[in-house]
Amino acid sequence: MSAPVLTVDGLSVDYQVHIGGIFKRQHLTVHALQDVNFELYRGETLGIAGESGSGKSTLARTVLALQPARSGHVVWRGDDLLAMDREVLRAKRKEMQMIFQDPLGSLNPRLSAGEIIAEPLRTHYPRMARLQIHERVIGMMKMVGLSPEHVNRYPHEFSGGQCQRLGIARALVLNPRLLVCDEPVSALDVSIQAQILHLLKDLQKKLQLSMIFIAHDLSLLRYVSNRIMVLYLGQIMEIGDRASLYQAPRHPYTRALIQSVPIPDPERERRDRERGHRGAIPSPFMPPSGCLFHPRCPFAIERCKIERPSLRPVREGHAACHRVEELHLERDIAAPAASGDSDTAEA
Ligand code: ATP
Ligand code: SF4
Ligand code: MG
């Protein structure tokens, strides 16, 4: 296999939070990411899953050096973005773009579609001729399935799906090599979601983009990803090949996420939920001792309360669980019927 385009090494990110009034002010630290390590290859899509607050967006922002880290490295094509001079970083940013969750909110309402797509070109190539910019904008609109006749329309005149196409055109206009998609379809109607997913997958393949794709929904990630990483309270619980992670999860939390996908059988859904996980996600201000998942894990033993498990190799990936060798989660998993396997991501 060729060298990775992106190496994330020992990445930890904290937020300082100040709560309370003037007399009883508390300064708390949220460890949003803790010692996160992974690699991404050219043309590969890494899916990132996890419940709300697990650190997915923090990871997306830190990978693009939009968020400072407490420690660690984000090495993009040989250079550490977190240790880079501002000017050099600005030039590098052309190679990395992001697609956001809220299509309308992420677009400047005062700019027309044409201006929105052209803006990054004007910023990075101030000497580019107007005609060349116009041709490129029209080309991008066609590429993402927008009618060039709508070049002078404003964001509020487009539907949610069309706004997301606009966001994709803007993200791709500089020919990036890395695309980070933070829940790009979660704000869209279900019928539109599939169209945008198809579009992103097609473009990723055509342009040989490396992609980080964030979603709550593991079945959606299964469709777009080559590998999947599962985060919980800022730590990697499991990372591995899409098919084996989905069919035979090695970490109880991965299994719980798969089992939380709604299925049209109330009895099976109830059974799965009982076997999956219990209770709510703990406060990020007071993470549990030992394994972060132990208060909710149906397989927890005494050791899990004391000792934090490290990521260890398992078939086709890694999982952070003390009992990974003895648990055979694939035996009793009741995963939803495999849908769209003929259309799944290609390695
Ligand atoms: P969601 O699925 O809700 O988008 P997420 O997985 O993207 O969640 P993050 O937004 O990365 O999670 O948040 C990770 C943790 O960091 C959470 O506990 C969150 O409350 C906290 N956090 C995120 N941004 C900030 C901030 N600017 N200041 C303080 N805490 C923050
Ligand atoms: Fe569950 Fe223990 Fe594994 Fe954590 S280490 S996932 S608590 S069995
Ligand atoms: Mg988020």
Side-chain angles (χ1 to χ4, degrees):
M1 199 184 251
S2 56
V5 286
L6 177 75
T7 304
V8 171
D9 179 21
L11 191 65
S12 298
V13 176
D14 292 345
Y15 294 107
Q16 303 304 326
V17 183
H18 310 288
I19 53 170
I22 313 169
F23 298 111
K24 212 180 169 194
R25 204 156 166 75
Q26 269 188 298
H27 304 281
L28 301 169
T29 302
V30 177
H31 301 297
L33 290 178
Q34 295 185 64
D35 196 22
V36 169
N37 300 286
F38 67 91
E39 293 173 334
L40 182 70
Y41 293 85
R42 181 164 184 257
E44 182 189 38
T45 299
L46 176 69
I48 301 184
E51 286 168 289
S52 189
S54 56
K56 305 180 297 298
S57 298
T58 301
L59 181 58
R61 288 196 301 271
T62 316
V63 159
L64 297 178
L66 299 168
Q67 165 77 45
R70 171 164 52 85
S71 58
H73 306 278
V74 174
V75 181
W76 169 250
R77 307 210 307 135
D79 297 310
D80 187 350
L81 300 179
L82 302 184
M84 204 174 256
D85 178 81
R86 271 188 164 208
E87 274 309 300
V88 187
L89 181 60
R90 196 173 157 273
K92 279 272 169 196
R93 282 245 169 80
K94 277 190 294 199
E95 300 177 12
M96 297 167 270
Q97 296 294 323
M98 187 153 176
I99 294 176
F100 300 91
Q101 180 174 7
D102 175 9
L104 185 59
S106 62
L107 302 173
N108 185 338
R110 285 185 289 275
L111 298 184
S112 67
E115 288 165 334
I116 285 169
I117 301 172
E119 201 181 36
L121 288 175
R122 294 212 168 95
T123 305
H124 286 277
Y125 303 101
R127 292 191 193 158
M128 191 180 259
R130 286 181 70 171
L131 180 63
Q132 203 182 346
I133 291 180
H134 181 74
E135 283 172 355
R136 181 97 179 117
V137 165
I138 298 301
M140 292 310 299
M141 288 187 82
K142 288 182 184 162
M143 188 191 256
V144 299
L146 287 173
S147 166
E149 287 167 22
H150 298 160
V151 68
N152 293 320
R153 282 194 181 178
Y154 287 84
H156 70 271
E157 297 176 272
F158 290 103
S159 68
Q162 285 172 325
C163 282
Q164 199 52 296
R165 286 175 194 269
L166 200 50
I168 295 169
R170 180 186 161 95
L172 296 183
V173 73
L174 293 173
N175 281 328
R177 294 165 184 260
L178 172 68
L179 197 58
V180 178
C181 306
D182 190 356
E183 306 208 39
V185 298
S186 59
L188 302 175
D189 290 347
V190 175
S191 57
I192 310 296
Q193 286 186 357
Q195 294 173 18
I196 298 295
L197 284 179
H198 281 302
L199 175 68
L200 280 170
K201 204 172 152 186
D202 280 355
L203 291 172
Q204 188 263 344
K205 205 168 165 189
K206 196 160 132 192
L207 306 172
Q208 273 297 288
L209 291 165
S210 303
M211 199 148 88
I212 292 178
F213 197 105
I214 293 169
H216 276 93
D217 184 347
L218 261 172
S219 57
L220 186 153
L221 285 184
R222 185 189 184 192
Y223 172 70
V224 290
S225 314
N226 301 104
R227 283 184 302 137
I228 294 177
M229 179 163 99
V230 177
L231 282 178
Y232 184 71
L233 287 175
Q235 286 195 4
I236 300 178
M237 295 290 115
E238 183 164 3
I239 181 165
D241 161 72
R242 159 186 60 94
S244 37
L245 184 134
Y246 204 90
Q247 279 154 22
R250 303 305 302 268
H251 195 286
Y253 181 58
T254 312
R255 189 184 80 146
L257 280 186
I258 293 170
Q259 287 173 337
S260 66
V261 174
I263 47 170
D265 178 346
E267 178 51 29
R268 204 176 100 186
E269 196 171 315
R270 185 193 57 75
R271 214 175 49 232
D272 283 354
R273 221 180 8 252
E274 281 168 5
R275 288 205 216 129
H277 59 41
R278 310 179 279 239
I281 193 163
S283 161
F285 299 124
M286 278 188 291
S289 59
C291 172
L292 291 172
F293 189 53
H294 89 255
R296 304 171 79 193
C297 179
F299 307 102
I301 51 174
E302 273 310 301
R303 185 185 175 194
C304 306
K305 296 180 190 167
I306 302 157
E307 198 185 321
R308 186 153 295 177
S310 53
L311 268 181
R312 57 186 85 183
V314 291
R315 197 188 59 213
E316 311 287 349
H318 290 77
C321 172
H322 292 307
R323 304 189 64 192
V324 74
E325 286 88 12
E326 57 179 296
L327 294 175
H328 296 284
L329 301 175
E330 65 272 35
R331 286 201 191 142
D332 62 337
I333 190 161
S339 62
D341 259 359
S342 58
D343 207 11
T344 45
E346 285 154 37

